[in-house]
Amino acid sequence: MKPHILRYILAACMLATCTLSSSAKDYQAVVFGAKSDGVTLNTQSIQRAIDHIAAEGGGRLIFTVGRYLTGAIQLKSNVTLHIGEGATLVAAPPIYDMLTGSMPPALISAKGQDHVAITGKGVIEGNSQKLQNSGKTQVDKGYLRAEDVPAHPMTHAKADAVTRLMPCIIYMEQCSNVTIKNIQIQDAANDAIVLHQSKGCKLESVRFFHLHGHLPLVQDQCTGVTSKDNYADDKSVAYTLVSGEGKNESVK
């Protein structure tokens, strides 16, 4: 075979490999069994997808139009949750579905992970009233105690049991290079985003609605937290974070 033909074939193979590699970095949630009917509990299928993508070296898990009901899920390094326009990730109402064991209650959490992201023009819905009703029922019956569940870093020690059990939307602990961009967060049962001992976190064009008096962003012992072009409909808490020193600061 002539050298120039061999070079052509090798170049074509390399181009095909790069193309396949690039396209392989996007994964559809429905391929892993996620249902967008707003009824099916998708926790296991979404977590299985995240674990698979992380094992493959990273990529985006894409949610298309529909409502995806899920319990607590944990992000892994180099994985992006991309919630597309018209897609909504909905917190499952039983309080037990929000409990992760060693982590404070949260719909989406990560610990010790690097380069994680939540993007897209879709919605993350906290389902606050149903979660509060579920938590209150379990506490009143004596089945669940606040001290059995790790509390968020800034939770007041005197807060009632139900309040302490409520999940935030996003919780990141000891993570680095976190990006949350373009997403809409609504109907939070607790503070929307909590960052603990993390660094290099960026919030951009995040929209907060119906926070019920909770904060859009809380950070504790973090460095390099930046915020740009975010919006909250509750002006009393808009663009506010609570630092580890206990003082309020603007992040507008």
Side-chain angles (χ1 to χ4, degrees), residues 168-179:
C168 62
I169 303 293
I170 299 168
Y171 177 79
M172 299 286 161
E173 180 176 328
Q174 299 173 3
C175 292
S176 56
N177 302 303
V178 176
T179 298

Side-chain angles (χ1 to χ4, degrees), residues 1 20 26 39 45 48 60 70 73 81 85 94 98 117 120 141 146 151 170 203 211 216 225 228 249 251:
M1 183 178 294
L20 287 171
D26 280 352
V39 177
S45 60
R48 182 167 59 249
R60 298 194 307 170
T70 181
I73 54 177
L81 291 185
E85 189 170 10
M98 292 295 113
K141 290 183 176 180
I170 299 168
L203 276 72
L211 295 181
V225 178
K228 178 183 178 182
E249 302 173 2
V251 295

